[in-house]
């Protein structure tokens, strides 16, 4: 008798938790002064190099895997369900933490944190563009989920 395979936690896409978000908010001053560096996920670095390439993505399975990787980093796409707004506590936490550093904008420019955030934003934009492009190709080719 064989038992059916059970899904594992690693099979499910990771979603940012409230604890992760709180950690990001609390560590913001350290990023502002350059103590903690902003890291760009490798999947977004690759997307920034060529968001409209199909190199290495010739099969539906390869495209589905890439789309899954992008979803993990970028979060759900527009048609994956309704978006929830930021909680009042989260917005309040950001306001308090962001007010801790006087002349925050100047400090961020001098420390390089602002430039790092601009690089992350550009890579994120490329990832969003690549995900949209790949979803279009995936559907045009008639790929089905799980294929």
């Amino acid at each position: 008798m064989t038992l059916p395979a059970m899904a594992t936690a690693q099979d499910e896409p990771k979603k940012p938790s409230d604890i992760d978000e709180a950690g990001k908010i609390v560590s913001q001053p350290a990023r502002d002064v350059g103590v903690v560096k902003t890291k760009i996920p490798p999947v977004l670095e690759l997307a920034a190099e060529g968001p409209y390439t199909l190199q290495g993505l010739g099969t539906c399975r390869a495209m589905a895997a890439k789309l899954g990787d992008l979803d993990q980093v970028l979060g759900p796409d527009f048609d994956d369900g309704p978006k929830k707004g930021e909680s009042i506590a989260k917005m309040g936490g950001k306001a308090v933490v962001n007010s801790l550093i006087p002349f925050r904008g100047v400090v961020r420019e001098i420390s390089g944190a602002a430039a790092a955030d601009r690089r992350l934003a550009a890579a994120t934009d490329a990832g969003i563009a690549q995900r949209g492009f790949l979803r279009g190709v995936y559907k045009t080719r008639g790929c089905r989920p799980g294929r």
Side-chain angles (χ1 to χ4, degrees), residues 49-134:
E49 291 173 11
Y52 303 110
T53 183
L54 291 174
Q55 184 176 2
L57 302 171
T59 66
C60 291
R61 185 172 302 219
M63 280 189 280
K66 181 70 166 199
L67 286 166
D69 292 345
L70 287 166
D71 285 343
Q72 266 193 316
V73 172
L74 298 171
D77 205 347
F78 287 107
D79 65 352
D80 290 338
K83 303 286 185 269
K84 293 182 180 177
E86 284 189 320
S87 70
I88 292 173
K90 183 176 169 183
M91 291 186 305
K94 284 182 180 179
V96 168
V97 169
N98 289 341
S99 67
L100 293 176
I101 299 176
F103 305 104
R104 180 174 180 254
V106 174
V107 169
R108 288 177 51 75
E109 287 297 333
I110 292 170
S111 71
D117 281 349
R118 286 191 291 272
R119 287 190 298 276
L120 176 60
T124 300
D125 289 346
I128 291 169
Q130 185 174 54
R131 180 169 62 182
F133 171 71
L134 289 177

Side-chain angles (χ1 to χ4, degrees), residues 5 9 19 21 29 32 35 38 43-44 50 58 64 82 84-85 87-88 96 128-130 134-137 140 143:
I19 293 173
E21 290 298 319
D32 286 347
V35 174
T38 300
V43 69
L44 295 183
K84 293 182 180 177
S87 70
I88 292 173
V96 168
I128 291 169
Q130 185 174 54
L134 289 177
R135 287 185 79 167
V137 172
T140 300
C143 296

